Amino acid sequence: MTEELYEELEAILIQADLGVEASVGLVETLRQRAKAEKIKAAEELRWLLKDELKKLIGEPGVLIKNPSGPTVVMIVGVNGTGKTTSVGKLAYHLAEQGQKVVLGAADTFRAAAIEQLEIWGERAGAAVIRHQMGSDPAAVAFDAVQAGLSRRADYILIDTAGRLHTQTNLMQELEKVGRVIGRAMDGAPHEILLVVDATTGQNALNQAKLFAKAVPITGIILTKLDGTAKGGIVAAVVNTLRVPVKFIGIGEGVEDLKPFDTEAFVEAIFDRS
Ligand SMILES: Nc1nc2c(ncn2[C@@H]2O[C@H](COP(=O)(O)OP(=O)(O)O)[C@@H](O)[C@H]2O)c(=O)[nH]1
Ligand SMILES: [Mg+2]
């Protein structure tokens, strides 16, 4: 009876993309706690597991605010994970709170990426600093930070490319963008958010490690959580990179970026299973 429940719980975790190792590990911790605390009731065991999962995922993080000038936020991640959309939604969210936002179109790899960001800039009422397609992304980022400083912006959000001719090129480029932002403003970028697509599964961990080697990631945006009980891979990303999840994406609209809520995230994994 109890054994069946353990197996069922383990299956829920694996289904949620937590990874086999982490899922087995969590259920093992549960077994030990249940034994030590002499717990047998299914409801209590479920509660304990949720508790362990919450501990594993950790507390949500909040967006950093530079107290002495604009806050520069760089957004990185694999192509298609939702970087540009997240920049747009974040710009809207900040503008709603009365913050002045400047956007930097540092994904110069495709013309469509620049146009996409401009549409988001219009929606959010944020100026978009852009160069031509194919130009140096670091130069765009530099100009965006300078424009943000001279316009007294509260936030400067830098969109970046997720694909280049090779992975090495991309990582070198991101490293350079980060370095050049630091030259435009001391202490910047204050925040480097990694966008993780909740539907990617275990591959997201390898991607995260790769980006973390190029730039110091400070937080995670977990996108495409609408309509999936997955996203459990974020537990592995959080524990490997040692950074919190700050926001989630739950759709393609302006309002579809929300602060991360560990409790709600864990409940959803069990609700939808
Ligand atoms: N359902 C859903 N779609 C999203 C979300 N975030 C981004 N997308 C979609 O994913 C696709 C890729 O997004 P984009 O921002 O262009 O990704 P980028 O290549 O990382 O900049 C677009 O069609 C977006 O509308 C989300 O939270 N939920
Ligand atoms: Mg993009």
Side-chain angles (χ1 to χ4, degrees):
M1 169 64 197
T2 318
E3 193 49 42
E4 266 171 39
L5 177 66
Y6 284 131
E7 275 169 28
E8 183 199 317
L9 293 174
E10 197 175 276
I12 290 172
L13 297 177
I14 292 172
Q15 276 277 312
D17 272 341
L18 213 82
V20 175
E21 208 179 315
S23 303
V24 171
L26 266 184
V27 173
E28 190 48 41
T29 307
L30 176 66
R31 280 179 207 271
Q32 282 163 11
R33 257 185 91 174
K35 200 172 166 194
E37 298 171 33
K38 298 196 171 23
I39 294 161
K40 287 208 175 86
E43 262 323 292
E44 256 182 287
L45 288 173
R46 267 177 180 268
W47 188 90
L48 272 187
L49 182 62
K50 285 180 188 173
D51 191 47
E52 289 297 332
L53 186 53
K54 279 177 216 164
K55 278 198 266 175
L56 187 70
I57 294 169
E59 297 285 319
V62 293
L63 188 69
I64 288 170
K65 174 83 177 127
N66 172 19
S68 57
T71 308
V72 182
V73 184
M74 192 175 154
I75 311 280
V76 302
V78 170
N79 196 46
T81 48
K83 285 182 299 302
T84 306
T85 308
S86 295
V87 167
K89 289 190 281 191
L90 187 56
Y92 184 86
H93 176 80
L94 290 167
E96 284 278 281
Q97 293 174 355
Q99 304 290 299
K100 185 169 182 180
V101 184
V102 167
L103 305 179
D107 178 357
T108 62
F109 195 63
R110 292 175 308 133
I114 301 171
E115 285 156 24
Q116 188 189 356
L117 193 69
E118 285 189 314
I119 294 169
W120 277 107
E122 270 168 40
R123 283 181 192 147
V128 178
I129 306 305
R130 55 165 294 179
H131 292 183
Q132 278 178 350
M133 181 194 143
S135 60
D136 181 6
V140 180
F142 188 89
D143 283 359
V145 174
Q146 286 215 314
L149 282 165
S150 67
R151 295 176 197 194
R152 300 188 180 280
D154 298 296
Y155 279 91
I156 302 162
L157 312 181
I158 311 289
D159 190 22
T160 64
R163 183 174 55 196
L164 276 190
H165 305 290
T166 72
Q167 211 170 58
T168 317
N169 281 350
L170 175 60
M171 295 308 150
Q172 283 172 349
E173 176 179 294
L174 291 176
E175 194 270 327
K176 183 179 167 195
V177 170
R179 194 161 19 94
V180 169
I181 286 174
R183 260 190 235 136
M185 180 184 179
D186 252 0
H190 306 89
E191 181 103 81
I192 303 181
L193 299 177
L194 174 72
V195 178
V196 174
D197 179 338
T199 65
T200 311
Q202 294 296 304
N203 204 19
L205 181 59
N206 296 329
Q207 295 172 358
K209 286 180 188 163
L210 200 65
F211 279 89
K213 266 197 242 165
V215 286
I217 307 291
T218 55
I220 296 160
I221 301 179
L222 185 63
T223 57
K224 309 190 192 181
L225 264 182
D226 40 318
T228 174
K230 297 191 183 288
I233 185 59
V234 82
V237 177
V238 162
N239 285 288
T240 306
L241 268 49
R242 303 245 150 244
V243 297
V245 185
K246 299 204 169 183
F247 296 98
I248 58 167
I250 51 164
E252 301 177 273
V254 285
E255 310 265 9
D256 293 333
L257 186 84
K258 306 284 177 199
F260 181 62
D261 177 341
T262 312
E263 176 107 27
F265 179 75
V266 167
E267 288 300 329
I269 283 180
F270 287 87
D271 279 356
R272 278 178 279 183
S273 59

